[in-house]
Amino acid sequence: DAGVTQSPTHLIKTRGQQVTLRCSPKSGHDTVSWYQQALGQGPQFIFQYYEEEERQRGNFPDRFSGHQFPNYSSELNVNALLLGDSALYLCASSGDRGPSYEQYFGPGTRLTVT
Amino acid sequence: ILNVEQSPQSLHVQEGDSTNFTCSFPSSNFYALHWYRWETAKSPEALFVMTLNGDEKKKGRISATLNTKEGYSYLYIKGSQPEDSATYLCAFFMDSNYQLIWGAGTKLIIKP
């Protein structure tokens, strides 16, 4: 049973560019959440997708957008990259969007913006 | 602004000793409290999801308690082993707000 997978593992982009990160949830999971983790901080919630719709959003600008596909996989898109977008981006899946369900995390994508 | 505080930020413990650390969260509108362990070069892994005041959960040598009225949770590790070295993160789920608010973690280093 494959766990949560993310691609790519590492990525280097230039300010102003756009980036797309990908996530495949654990088998049987239909809810995907995206987090940004800066060095020395806890993960910051970006948004959650359920039934192909964005159900909840954290305090991130509209430059951050996403999508969920019918097979529950998800993409995170960031436009007009800033140096401050450099971080580890984590994807997590769960069997339900409710708070009692533990989240299963992928290995993350390390984004460096130069 | 909702804040989840974890203390201490880091902790060095001798192998075989027991230890504990704290997660503080807003006591109002509580829904759930999650604990995760994050080993270097791996993905965060769920330890416990706790929802009831007074709840105690145990997994091997690791246990956790929850006090929702005063807004804190303790994580205990009994007889620390080198494989316990990791960052331990807690996350708070507020009622009707479907997002986890995370603490910055406690980095635990077990000295052989």
Side-chain angles (χ1 to χ4, degrees):
Chain A
D1 175 28
V4 179
T5 60
Q6 290 186 245
S7 62
T9 306
H10 295 87
L11 202 51
I12 299 174
K13 289 285 189 178
T14 304
R15 267 182 304 177
Q17 286 188 315
Q18 178 264 343
V19 69
T20 297
L21 310 182
R22 294 177 176 83
C23 171
S24 290
K26 180 178 168 63
S27 177
H29 285 184
D30 59 6
T31 302
V32 173
S33 301
W34 285 93
Y35 296 90
Q36 180 195 67
Q37 199 215 11
L39 206 59
Q41 298 181 20
Q44 299 292 313
F45 175 78
I46 303 175
F47 41 54
Q48 182 188 76
Y49 277 85
Y50 172 71
E51 292 185 340
E52 300 181 53
E53 289 191 21
E54 183 183 293
R55 297 291 181 167
Q56 191 75 22
R57 188 179 183 91
N59 190 25
F60 279 79
D62 292 344
R63 300 186 296 110
F64 289 76
S65 64
H67 189 77
Q68 185 177 37
F69 299 93
N71 66 354
Y72 306 124
S73 67
S74 178
E75 288 181 349
L76 164 65
N77 301 292
V78 187
N79 294 322
L81 284 166
L82 304 173
L83 293 178
D85 295 332
S86 295
L88 179 69
Y89 288 84
L90 291 164
C91 167
S93 72
S94 56
D96 189 273
R97 61 189 294 253
S100 302
Y101 288 80
E102 63 188 36
Q103 304 211 343
Y104 290 76
F105 283 85
T109 294
R110 173 73 62 187
L111 173 65
T112 302
V113 182
T114 62
Chain B
I1 295 177
L2 297 171
N3 252 348
V4 176
E5 303 286 342
Q6 289 191 248
S7 62
Q9 190 173 4
S10 66
L11 194 53
H12 288 73
V13 174
Q14 198 69 40
E15 182 178 351
D17 287 351
S18 297
T19 187
N20 65 85
F21 27 92
T22 307
C23 171
S24 300
F25 52 86
S27 57
S28 59
N29 304 112
F30 175 86
Y31 210 131
L33 194 283
H34 292 220
W35 279 102
Y36 290 80
R37 174 171 59 200
W38 196 352
E39 296 178 66
T40 303
K42 293 187 178 180
S43 307
E45 175 191 0
L47 288 172
F48 306 112
V49 177
M50 308 174 80
T51 57
L52 299 175
N53 183 43
D55 211 1
E56 291 188 31
K57 296 217 171 180
K58 187 176 181 181
K59 185 183 286 188
R61 294 179 291 99
I62 304 177
S63 60
T65 61
L66 179 66
N67 183 324
T68 62
K69 295 189 186 307
E70 295 182 44
Y72 65 84
S73 175
Y74 292 137
L75 191 80
Y76 300 90
I77 301 178
K78 185 178 179 182
S80 303
Q81 299 297 310
E83 60 264 30
D84 297 329
S85 294
T87 296
Y88 291 82
L89 292 157
C90 68
F92 164 73
F93 221 124
M94 193 175 72
D95 186 13
S96 76
N97 187 358
Y98 282 79
Q99 59 176 284
L100 282 170
I101 301 166
W102 295 78
T106 292
K107 185 173 183 178
L108 177 65
I109 298 167
I110 306 302
K111 300 179 291 185

